């Protein structure tokens, strides 16, 4: 999706429809998903809830939730008439319902970004990519492999040392991979832009410092880079400057070229400290050609 | 060199051997094997190791095989055991146990001429399957020893042994479960094209995969392709 010529305008609603929308579990699931990921299309919601790209029921449900004032919507005009995606975001009424139900910490609801902030181009581009990746991954859920998703909001961490709820690290989204009784937390960071070396080190350092030691064995910090070059730069940076981080935190990386299809999430597309190799052809580099699966049992 | 402690260990192992041979429930065969391995490590010249009576009966022999249809469960098992050496062979045919006493076959096997009537000096049992063309295919002996050793002994005795391959468990991190299932399906297809009626793949391990069980083998599992 080309987002360069972005125009974000809320779909006008002349009046809140008096349709008596039932606030059932399906409604709450949708509200929660959109709260976590900020913006979502109907196909992305469908992927999370049904593992399919399309659901007529959800399409209608979302439309009714919008008519009832629980959601706002906007279309992305990118200069082409074809394929104009419709995005949904939470309206005040939807936030209020979640607050009433007590599903989330009231502090999160209170600090939820205003609609104006969500509609800013930079913010939207990032959030749109995050939910697209997460929803693709959600399609891999099966009866043997359970995947549970939390957006940035639900991924915030409790500082184990001070026993306080503070944002010590905020992955873009977190997936819990559950097979039988084994649960692995995958803290996923989507690296859309090239950050400075210091910024990347600082990001990883937050996990090193704040991830509960007992939790480390059951968690992986997964970095999804825009390009292979960005991925290689990361490894060269970490191996050259903070190699000891890799003894504390399980880190794995991949890039978008490896993720053309949802099934690729389960394929050997990840670089880990055990597979990456330093090379020296003139100057120091890294070889990221050897790749493994995110989890051995996938 | 032998010292008093090694002698005590040898005495303990002799008593264990007697207990295992008598079917004692106080010690499992694989636990006894560990004591033997330790003696082999500290005193390989021990006469106890040389005694022919130190034959350990495999408690898993002819037990039912645990059935798994979830490849992820198998992969988890391999990861927990740090990618051990496994072998796989087709699961097929009607199960048959041959019993030999002092080298003479006790079973009535008139129909199958591929089964040797005498095995010089062998007392024990051999497990196999009878294929569609009534040929006996051997894949187990009732004494504890590595799988490859069993196949070698069976071949030396003149048996047709099951086709088996090494399961490269160390490759599990680099291959998805769907591709591994596809590999198993190809393996089964090939076995079927050779005339065998195959319903799955048996995974064999020289070390226990599961806790000791009265009914199910602790060293084998059947991956059934549904």
């Amino acid at each position: 999706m080309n987002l360069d010529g972005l125009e974000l305008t809320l779909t006008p609603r002349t009046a809140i429809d008096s349709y008596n929308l039932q606030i059932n579990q399906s409604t709450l699931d949708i509200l929660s998903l959109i709260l976590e990921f900020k913006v979502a299309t109907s196909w992305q919601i469908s992927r999370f809830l049904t593992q399919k790209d399309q659901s007529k029921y959800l399409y209608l449900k979302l439309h009714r939730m919008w008519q009832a004032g629980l959601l706002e919507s906007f279309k992305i005009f990118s200069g082409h008439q074809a394929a104009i995606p419709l995005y949904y975001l939470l309206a005040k009424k939807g936030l209020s319902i979640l607050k009433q139900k007590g599903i989330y910490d009231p502090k999160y609801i209170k600090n939820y970004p205003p609609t104006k902030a969500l509609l800013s181009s930079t913010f939207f581009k990032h959030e749109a990519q995050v939910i697209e990746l997460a929803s693709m991954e959600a399609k891999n859920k099966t009866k043997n492999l359970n995947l549970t998703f939390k957006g940035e909001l639900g991924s915030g961490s409790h500082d184990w040392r001070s026993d306080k709820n503070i944002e010590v690290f905020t992955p873009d989204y977190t997936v819990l991979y559950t097979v039988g009784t084994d649960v692995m937390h995958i803290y996923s960071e989507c690296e859309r832009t090239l950050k400075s070396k210091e910024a990347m080190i600082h990001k990883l350092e937050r996990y090193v410092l704040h991830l509960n030691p007992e939790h480390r064995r059951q968690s992986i910090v997964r970095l999804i880079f825009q390009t292979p070059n960005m991925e290689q730069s990361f490894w060269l940076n970490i191996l050259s400057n903070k190699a000891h981080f890799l003894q504390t935190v399980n880190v794995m990386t991949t890039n978008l070229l490896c993720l053309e299809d949802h099934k690729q999430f389960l394929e050997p597309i990840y670089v880990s400290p055990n597979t990456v190799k330093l090379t020296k052809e003139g100057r120091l580099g890294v070889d990221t050609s050897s790749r493994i699966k995110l989890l051995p049992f996938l | 060199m032998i010292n008093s402690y090694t002698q005590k260990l040898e005495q303990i192992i002799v008593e264990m051997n007697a207990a295992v041979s008598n079917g004692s429930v106080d010690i499992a065969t694989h636990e006894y094997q560990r004591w033997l391995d330790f003696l082999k490590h500290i005193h390989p010249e021990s006469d106890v190791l040389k005694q022919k009576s130190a034959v350990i009966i495999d408690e898993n022999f002819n037990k039912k095989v645990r059935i798994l249809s979830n490849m992820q469960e198998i992969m988890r098992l391999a990861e927990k055991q740090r990618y051990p050496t496994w072998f796989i062979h087709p699961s097929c045919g009607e199960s048959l146990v041959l019993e030999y006493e002092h080298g003479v076959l006790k079973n009535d096997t008139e129909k199958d001429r591929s089964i040797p009537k005498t095995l010089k000096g062998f007392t024990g049992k051999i497990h196999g399957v009878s294929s569609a063309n009534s040929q006996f295919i051997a894949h187990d002996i009732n004494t504890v020893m590595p799988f490859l050793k069993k196949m070698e002994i069976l071949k030396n005795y003149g048996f047709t042994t099951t086709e088996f391959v090494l399961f490269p468990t160390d490759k599990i991190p680099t291959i998805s479960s769907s591709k591994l299932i596809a590999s198993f399906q190809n393996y089964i297809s090939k076995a079927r094209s050779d005339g065998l009626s195959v319903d799955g793949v048996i995974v064999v391990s020289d070390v226990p995969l599961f806790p000791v069980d009265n009914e199910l083998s602790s060293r084998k599992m059947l991956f059934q392709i549904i």
Side-chain angles (χ1 to χ4, degrees), chain A residues 142 144-145 179-182 266-268 291-298, chain B residues 69-73 75-76 79-80 83 172-179:
Chain A
T142 63
N144 294 321
L145 175 65
V179 174
T181 55
D182 292 340
L266 306 183
E267 294 288 329
R291 291 179 183 253
I292 57 174
K293 293 179 293 187
L294 182 65
L295 300 168
F297 51 79
L298 293 178
Chain B
S69 55
N70 181 345
M71 180 54 76
Q72 283 149 357
E73 210 174 328
M75 287 176 153
R76 265 194 309 164
E79 186 208 356
K80 282 181 181 170
Y83 306 112
I172 282 175
T174 60
I175 183 168
S176 63
S177 56
S178 57
K179 284 191 179 149

Side-chain angles (χ1 to χ4, degrees), chain A residues 157-181:
Chain A
S157 167
H158 182 85
D159 185 12
W160 63 275
R161 292 177 304 180
S162 68
D163 199 31
K164 285 180 185 171
N165 276 323
I166 55 175
E167 282 189 357
V168 289
F169 53 82
T170 52
D172 289 316
Y173 71 95
T174 303
V175 194
L176 270 63
Y177 275 70
T178 306
V179 174
T181 55

